[in-house]
Amino acid sequence: MKQIRMLKKAMNERYIVPAFNFANFEILRGVLDTAKELKSPMILQISESAMNYFSDELLSGIIQAIRKIKHPISIHLDHGKTLSVVKRAIRLGFDSVMIDGSTLPFAKNVKLTKSVVDFAHSKNVSVEGELGVLAVSNDDGMLSDGERFTSPKQAKEFVALTGVDSLAVSIGTNHGVNKYIDEPKIRYDILKKIEKEIPSIPIVLHGASLVEQKYIQDINNFGGKIDRAIGNENLLKNAYKTHICKINMDTDFRLAFTSAVRKYMSENPEKYNPRDYGNAGIQAVKECAKYRIVSICKSNNRV
Ligand code: G3H
Ligand code: 13P
Ligand code: ZN
């Protein structure tokens, strides 16, 4: 199973495999070129809504094309919620899948995840499960820290009961641009306890985008409106020293692309060829990917 080999290598050599989502062709082009240039392995992630955006027909062509590239790239289903979307992804040629039962009660999460593991492993596809709930603190007011963050003891039980190959955990990060209400903080103390309970399981960190303020400023300066954006800037510098072997970033590429396109369009009002502003977007995505590969993941020159 391709992805799990990639993650175990990263674990042994102490780096992180970047797992970048692509929401459109330009982001795909930008991250792919950068991974190749920097000799970094990469996981390309696609959510169910991104699958629908591309259409299965086109996506299967894209996947076949990516498979021909001589570079370690794994294609991964992000946040699959049902066995049926997992089967769809496997039919399309994905190397690995995530089954996200994190909002379900523990027993139901185990049942769903185990059913996916049984199916996926029979097809030589690896599985990422999730335990703990990614939710902005106080936002819902419903979850206590104990319910929200991954319990190290339950993580051990979950892995034993389901047979997942990697585990996504909740240690403070959140999806999107508004990651924190209070002081930004990742609970590395909880991560350490999880690592002790499941020492050989690669850990996955979702909601890892940095949300650099330069992107927010450009978006807002050129007609956009994004409020209270706050991400993981400065919080992931030492993540490569832990068992986090895969970090998920999607928002950063959306921000990089959108800020560059807004700026380009504002400064070049006479342009209307999508390839003109698309190229500006690709360049911004490349720069964004480079920084994350080199400074956060340390995954360059690992191929
Ligand atoms: O974690 C979620 C990903 O960012 C995917 O988001 O469903 O809008 O593609 P999406
Ligand atoms: P961000 O929203 O921080 O980019 O997280 C993406 C993610 O976790 C995809 O699964
Ligand atoms: Zn996620």
Side-chain angles (χ1 to χ4, degrees):
M1 285 183 274
K2 189 170 172 182
Q3 189 189 109
I4 211 64
R5 278 198 303 275
M6 279 166 89
L7 296 183
K8 294 268 176 168
K9 181 173 183 294
M11 196 156 169
N12 290 337
E13 295 179 19
R14 289 275 146 121
Y15 64 91
I16 300 172
V17 180
F20 296 154
N21 291 59
F22 61 98
N24 63 11
F25 171 78
E26 288 74 16
I27 294 175
L28 172 61
R29 176 80 203 274
V31 298
L32 199 51
D33 284 1
T34 310
K36 285 196 286 180
E37 276 162 32
L38 296 175
K39 299 185 169 48
S40 168
M42 181 173 63
I43 294 166
L44 276 172
Q45 306 201 129
I46 313 164
S47 64
E48 186 176 1
S49 47
M51 284 162 82
N52 294 339
Y53 184 75
F54 279 94
S55 84
D56 285 14
E57 206 174 11
L58 291 181
L59 193 54
S60 76
I62 291 171
I63 290 170
Q64 282 175 37
I66 292 170
R67 287 192 172 288
K68 287 190 189 134
I69 301 172
K70 293 208 181 333
H71 191 85
I73 296 163
S74 166
I75 299 158
H76 179 79
L77 171 68
D78 191 29
H79 290 286
K81 295 278 192 190
T82 59
L83 181 58
S84 98
V85 72
V86 163
K87 288 184 175 173
R88 178 179 163 200
I90 292 175
R91 264 197 313 276
L92 287 171
F94 285 48
D95 298 297
S96 58
V97 293
M98 175 193 190
I99 181 71
D100 178 3
S102 62
T103 55
L104 300 172
F106 184 78
K108 287 196 169 153
N109 188 0
V110 168
K111 192 169 175 222
L112 174 67
T113 306
K114 173 91 172 65
S115 69
V116 166
V117 169
D118 289 345
F119 180 78
H121 282 184
S122 75
K123 307 279 180 197
N124 206 28
V125 165
S126 57
V127 180
E128 172 186 328
E130 177 161 346
L131 188 66
V133 184
L134 266 67
V136 179
S137 59
N138 305 335
D139 217 20
D140 43 41
M142 303 296 282
L143 296 172
S144 66
D145 280 4
E147 291 163 319
R148 186 158 73 101
F149 297 132
T150 305
S151 147
K153 290 263 180 287
Q154 270 196 347
K156 184 174 184 176
E157 206 184 334
F158 187 78
V159 169
L161 290 171
T162 59
V164 287
D165 303 288
S166 61
L167 185 68
V169 297
S170 172
I171 51 170
T173 59
N174 291 294
H175 292 113
V177 284
N178 308 118
K179 296 194 184 302
Y180 302 96
I181 289 173
D182 313 320
E183 189 202 345
K185 193 172 180 190
I186 294 178
R187 294 289 303 270
Y188 286 105
D189 57 323
I190 297 177
L191 177 65
K192 248 199 188 126
K193 292 182 186 154
I194 296 171
E195 288 175 358
K196 274 205 182 122
E197 295 291 342
I198 45 171
S200 59
I201 296 291
I203 303 292
V204 178
L205 190 66
H206 283 248
S209 277
L210 306 183
V211 189
E212 286 175 273
Q213 291 303 311
K214 64 178 183 183
Y215 296 132
I216 305 299
Q217 278 156 16
D218 274 353
I219 289 175
N220 289 343
N221 285 340
F222 293 101
K225 190 175 181 327
I226 296 182
D227 292 329
R228 295 185 300 113
I230 182 145
N232 296 308
E233 245 177 322
N234 302 319
L235 294 182
L236 291 172
K237 288 222 154 72
N238 291 317
Y240 74 97
K241 295 177 185 165
T242 71
H243 286 199
I244 293 170
C245 300
K246 171 176 180 275
I247 57 169
N248 287 15
M249 292 176 162
D250 186 353
T251 299
D252 278 349
F253 296 105
R254 298 177 181 195
L255 292 173
F257 177 78
T258 301
S259 62
V261 170
R262 276 193 178 279
K263 188 163 188 280
Y264 184 91
M265 283 185 155
S266 171
E267 290 172 351
N268 301 275
E270 75 290 358
K271 299 281 190 187
Y272 60 90
N273 182 341
R275 287 198 300 268
D276 290 330
Y277 55 82
N279 267 324
I282 291 172
Q283 290 317 311
V285 166
K286 287 183 80 168
E287 189 199 299
C288 182
K290 184 174 181 181
Y291 179 71
R292 280 143 190 79
I293 285 172
V294 174
S295 303
I296 307 292
C297 295
K298 316 274 181 198
S299 59
N300 50 312
N301 297 319
R302 303 284 184 173
V303 175

